[in-house]
Amino acid sequence: MIFLHRSPALHRVLYPLIRFSKRSYTVTMSDKIMACKKAAAVHAVDEHVRDKQVIGIGSGSTIVFAVQRIAERVNSENLHLVCIPTSFQAKQLILENGLVLGSLETHPQVDVAIDGADEVDEDISCIKGGGGCQTQEKIVASCAKEFYIVADSGKYSQALGTVWKKGIPIEVIPMGYKPVQLKIQKDLGGKAELRLAKMKCGPLVTDNGNFVLDWQFTSPGNWKDINSKLVSIPGVVETGLFINMAKIAYFGNPDGKVTIHKAPWAF
């Protein structure tokens, strides 16, 4: 059992995944999956983080382990790093772990970005945005010389949509969500549903003050073309399709080993 009160950052990330009882917290995410996430995150950090770098910090539960490992190395190796957050959660993780917080205003060029994913295919194309942070994540990743994905092995698939069944997240301007929704369904098929908040009535609101549509597509296609069509719709801010962006994905396995997949287009 993991006692979440020992790690405020981990508590906040995993709070939606736990059940409260009068005597204890019970983590519903299996310890094995947590170990997989940690193995992938630690491996990527040890492989690519070096002194005097600007590091893009992604969002999600796997990134908690990446930030913790970065903090360990900063303390043990006296590394001088600047960390660029992709979300409010990432910003809090950076601060709580005593790392140097930066921004794209002061550091528009990022050396390495590390982030999680909801699904990754054999080309290292990704679906991201299950946590609603896809726009800032994509901005930081696009500014990085090198972008790496860390995840548990259950996130890998041969075709996008095989593992992640909740649709492709699409961030939209609130006033235009309905026409965007109808346009997507008319031109690309499937169903685009407005994502609702879990702890309040009404839609989920991103860090940017926007809404998210989750597009359940009918069949896979050329994801680069599909992404271009989506972002060309007036009112669409960004999508959770990360195509030809990540060079390598690190997947933690239940046996403690890490499987490395390289993007064919990058090597």
Side-chain angles (χ1 to χ4, degrees):
M1 180 180 293
I2 299 174
F3 295 97
L4 300 182
H5 67 275
R6 294 181 181 177
S7 173
L10 190 59
H11 181 283
R12 184 178 60 259
V13 173
L14 297 181
Y15 183 78
L17 303 175
I18 62 176
R19 299 171 184 168
F20 178 79
S21 69
K22 290 184 178 179
R23 295 186 177 180
S24 65
Y25 287 105
T26 302
V27 179
T28 59
M29 183 186 295
S30 74
D31 291 344
K32 287 186 177 180
I33 292 178
M34 296 291 286
C36 291
K37 292 173 181 285
K38 182 175 182 178
V42 169
H43 192 101
V45 168
D46 288 351
E47 192 79 12
H48 300 290
V49 173
R50 299 290 182 267
D51 191 26
K52 298 181 181 180
Q53 285 181 329
V54 177
I55 309 294
I57 302 297
S59 307
S61 57
T62 307
I63 296 305
V64 174
F65 299 112
V67 174
Q68 290 174 344
R69 180 55 181 163
I70 290 172
E72 289 175 358
R73 291 193 55 201
V74 165
N75 292 328
S76 64
E77 302 173 36
N78 194 31
L79 301 181
H80 296 83
L81 306 175
V82 176
C83 298
I84 311 297
T86 59
S87 64
F88 178 81
Q89 176 227 2
K91 178 181 178 181
Q92 293 302 108
L93 283 172
I94 292 167
L95 294 174
E96 289 175 2
N97 282 274
L99 300 172
V100 176
L101 177 67
S103 71
L104 291 179
E105 289 182 301
T106 56
H107 298 82
Q109 294 184 328
V110 178
D111 293 303
V112 175
I114 300 175
D115 207 343
D118 299 304
E119 185 174 13
V120 186
D121 71 10
E122 55 190 5
D123 293 325
I124 318 300
S125 294
C126 308
I127 294 177
K128 291 175 49 56
C133 305
Q134 63 276 356
T135 297
Q136 293 187 61
E137 290 173 340
K138 189 174 283 189
I139 291 172
V140 173
S142 71
C143 294
K145 297 175 185 177
E146 300 177 356
F147 176 43
Y148 301 104
I149 293 293
V150 292
D152 63 87
S153 57
K155 301 293 180 64
Y156 177 76
S157 71
Q158 292 187 335
L160 293 184
T162 305
V163 173
W164 181 252
K165 301 293 186 179
K166 298 180 181 180
I168 294 172
I170 303 167
E171 186 163 349
V172 298
I173 299 296
M175 69 166 288
Y177 89 88
K178 194 62 179 182
V180 170
Q181 183 183 49
L182 296 175
K183 179 73 172 175
I184 291 172
Q185 293 174 170
K186 178 183 177 182
D187 293 354
L188 296 174
K191 189 174 183 180
E193 296 185 341
L194 180 65
R195 188 184 299 184
L196 300 179
K198 293 184 178 180
M199 303 300 289
K200 75 173 187 68
C201 296
L204 177 142
V205 178
T206 70
D207 286 359
N208 308 309
N210 297 318
F211 294 168
V212 174
L213 296 174
D214 290 306
W215 175 47
Q216 299 277 354
F217 54 88
T218 54
S219 60
N222 184 313
W223 292 116
K224 187 174 181 179
D225 289 345
I226 290 172
N227 185 68
S228 296
K229 290 178 181 178
L230 288 169
V231 297
S232 70
I233 299 173
V236 171
V237 178
E238 192 49 85
T239 80
L241 284 169
F242 283 55
I243 311 301
N244 293 349
M245 296 190 71
K247 295 177 62 176
I248 302 175
Y250 294 88
F251 297 99
N253 300 299
D255 61 4
K257 297 181 180 179
V258 176
T259 301
I260 302 172
H261 288 276
K262 297 182 178 181
W265 55 268
F267 296 91

